[in-house]
Amino acid sequence: ILKTTEFISANDLASLMDVSVNDVIGKCMNLGIFASINQRLDAETITIIADEFGYDVKFTEADDETEVVEEKDRPEDLTDRAPIVTIMGHVDHGKTSLLDFIRESKVTAGEAGGITQHIGAYDVMTDSGKKVAFLDTPGHEAFTAMRARGAKITDVAIIVVAADDAVMPQTKEAINHAQVAGVPMVIAINKVDKPNANPNKIKEELANINILVEDWGGKYQCQEVSAKTGAGIEDLLEKVLLEAEVLELKANPAKSAVGTVVEAELDKGRGYVTTIMVQAGTLRVGDVVLAGAHYGKVKAMFDHKGKKVDEAGPSTPVLMLGLDGAPQAGDRFNVMESDREARDIANKREQIQREQSMRTKKHITLDEIGRRL
Ligand code: GDP
Ligand code: MG
């Protein structure tokens, strides 16, 4: 048995098997792969070649050359942080309206912005003086996409159901996503301002899928709201905070920042603009950031009001300028000690991404070759 990570070079594979690298390259050629000594081989190729030399391959953990070892938290360094909330629910049940109402009513207007751009996340202060951060990417596609990339960013999910409609397929899907992710839910029964609103019918339908709300003796907090009039929204936020309290969300604000990419795009004037959610530590202008396969020095940061900020602590979303490309939503970001370290890892990750996309393209060819052998 041969233990290795994926993507070792032809040379490394040869030395692991104690054969000459020329023999490995020769076998590659038989497979139609023209490998150089230092070329990294993908898992499939490694498996086939090792087999030729009589080895079974067992792949070990991801290549640690591309992993960033994050600082461990000591309990005494941890302080409370705000919950990060995602709103999910069926189309037209009012996700966008709810997000907009919360953003507009809770954000103090008037601040002259240095940048005007809708960013994919924002944070608000509730009347009780506590912060709540929202991911402004309604719909569970974003939630699922992020989770698929291993990002654990949502602390509490708000499930919106329109009181004049019903528990719909996407409502059930959203509930399912939150449950699978182990994220607590607060139900928002929206559009209660409408004359034909029937919140009790919604509660009954929820009960039918085993979501029993609190006032019916269940464990799920539920709030009737109107994204149109604003009724119940403050209470909804308090319920979210209550849910968060149970989770005892904490982070160390003193360490190097870590967090998740929410969205990124190329702006003609300003280069790559990246919305990130800082999850722990504090990010500062001038820090070297590694995000997915990209890196760069933070040139400037803005909050969701467009106001320039110099630093951002845990559970704070910011828009940052300075990366050399657009990382993907859900990519983790880390602050690195040096430019060089960040560049090295970014380059390796990029190479692996390239090789992986080549491998998926090559897959059929290899299978065909296998059949011919
Ligand atoms: P989304 O698809 O879940 O993002 O739903 P939207 O926020 O786009 O809302 C769908 C429609 O419902 C829009 O026409 C909104 O104006 C309307 N709407 C949303 N919330 C309310 C509400 O609380 N009351 C009323 N009367 N209409 C609402
Ligand atoms: Mg919408």
Side-chain angles (χ1 to χ4, degrees):
I1 287 184
L2 200 67
K3 279 191 185 165
T4 173
T5 58
E6 286 185 41
F7 300 112
I8 56 168
S9 68
N11 200 25
D12 291 343
L13 179 59
S15 46
L16 271 179
M17 298 189 297
D18 204 17
V19 299
S20 107
V21 67
N22 286 329
D23 289 344
V24 169
I25 290 173
K27 296 283 184 201
C28 286
M29 267 198 209
N30 293 343
L31 294 171
I33 297 164
F34 297 92
S36 62
I37 290 180
N38 291 317
Q39 179 147 348
R40 287 153 168 264
L41 305 172
D42 62 53
E44 191 166 1
T45 312
I46 293 170
T47 308
I48 294 171
I49 290 175
D51 183 58
E52 298 262 316
F53 289 98
Y55 287 97
D56 273 339
V57 181
K58 184 173 174 356
F59 288 103
T60 53
E61 268 306 283
D63 190 349
D64 58 20
E65 287 173 23
T66 63
E67 297 264 313
V68 177
V69 183
E70 293 178 3
E71 286 173 53
K72 289 265 179 302
D73 293 319
R74 292 178 308 176
E76 61 267 34
D77 295 332
L78 297 175
T79 57
D80 292 343
R81 66 167 179 85
I84 302 171
V85 178
T86 303
I87 299 186
M88 297 193 278
H90 195 74
V91 65
D92 283 346
H93 279 195
K95 298 178 294 291
T96 304
S97 305
L98 212 50
L99 278 162
D100 287 349
F101 187 93
I102 295 169
R103 189 195 310 104
E104 279 150 32
S105 62
K106 290 284 157 192
V107 168
T108 44
E111 200 94 51
I115 195 169
T116 45
Q117 176 154 349
H118 179 85
I119 84 168
Y122 62 86
D123 51 354
V124 298
M125 193 69 86
T126 64
D127 287 353
S128 60
K130 289 193 170 137
K131 252 179 62 173
V132 180
F134 282 87
L135 285 175
D136 194 354
T137 46
H140 50 250
E141 295 83 358
F143 184 80
T144 328
M146 289 226 184
R147 284 231 318 135
R149 307 189 67 76
K152 291 192 196 79
I153 187 166
T154 302
D155 299 308
V156 179
I158 293 178
I159 309 289
V160 187
V161 198
D164 65 338
D165 196 8
V167 169
M168 298 295 278
Q170 277 177 281
T171 316
K172 292 181 194 166
E173 245 176 83
I175 289 171
N176 193 280
H177 282 304
Q179 284 177 329
V180 168
V183 172
M185 294 179 270
V186 176
I187 311 288
I189 299 183
N190 189 32
K191 308 198 189 185
V192 291
D193 60 283
K194 285 198 156 185
N196 56 339
N198 189 350
N200 275 329
K201 175 183 160 245
I202 303 296
K203 290 178 190 175
E204 192 181 324
E205 290 175 359
L206 287 169
N208 289 339
I209 55 166
N210 283 323
I211 304 294
L212 203 55
V213 298
E214 258 183 347
D215 50 339
W216 282 29
K219 64 171 181 178
Y220 294 95
Q221 294 197 82
C222 176
Q223 179 62 46
E224 295 177 15
V225 297
S226 166
K228 191 177 172 191
T229 67
I233 288 184
E234 194 60 43
D235 293 327
L236 175 66
L237 295 179
E238 289 307 326
K239 287 183 178 169
V240 166
L241 283 169
L242 212 64
E243 208 62 57
E245 222 165 80
V246 179
L247 299 173
E248 296 186 34
L249 303 168
K250 288 183 191 303
N252 173 9
K255 67 176 181 181
S256 301
V258 294
T260 301
V261 173
V262 177
E263 59 185 12
E265 60 177 31
L266 179 60
D267 177 282
K268 278 198 194 95
R270 291 170 297 171
Y272 289 95
V273 248
T274 312
T275 302
I276 52 179
M277 179 68 79
V278 179
Q279 290 174 273
T282 298
L283 184 67
R284 295 187 174 80
V285 171
D287 280 349
V288 175
V289 167
L290 169 70
H294 298 282
Y295 79 105
K297 201 168 256 177
V298 181
K299 273 198 278 191
M301 290 197 291
F302 303 89
D303 68 12
H304 65 267
K305 289 169 272 182
K307 193 172 152 246
K308 237 185 162 110
V309 291
D310 294 327
E311 53 175 52
S315 299
T316 310
V318 279
L319 188 150
M320 64 158 279
L321 307 182
L323 289 184
D324 71 342
Q328 287 178 278
D331 273 345
R332 189 136 181 101
F333 82 81
N334 295 88
V335 166
M336 307 299 288
E337 294 265 302
S338 73
D339 225 45
R340 174 138 54 79
E341 192 187 4
R343 189 185 52 221
D344 282 354
I345 297 180
N347 288 345
K348 281 189 189 119
R349 285 177 177 174
E350 207 174 8
Q351 190 186 351
I352 286 173
Q353 280 179 6
R354 243 196 333 265
E355 283 165 356
Q356 255 160 358
S357 68
M358 264 164 55
R359 174 173 54 157
T360 21
K361 277 183 218 138
K362 205 172 57 193
H363 200 87
I364 300 159
T365 336
L366 267 179
D367 277 352
E368 283 168 356
I369 289 168
R371 258 178 261 128
R372 261 182 253 134
L373 283 177

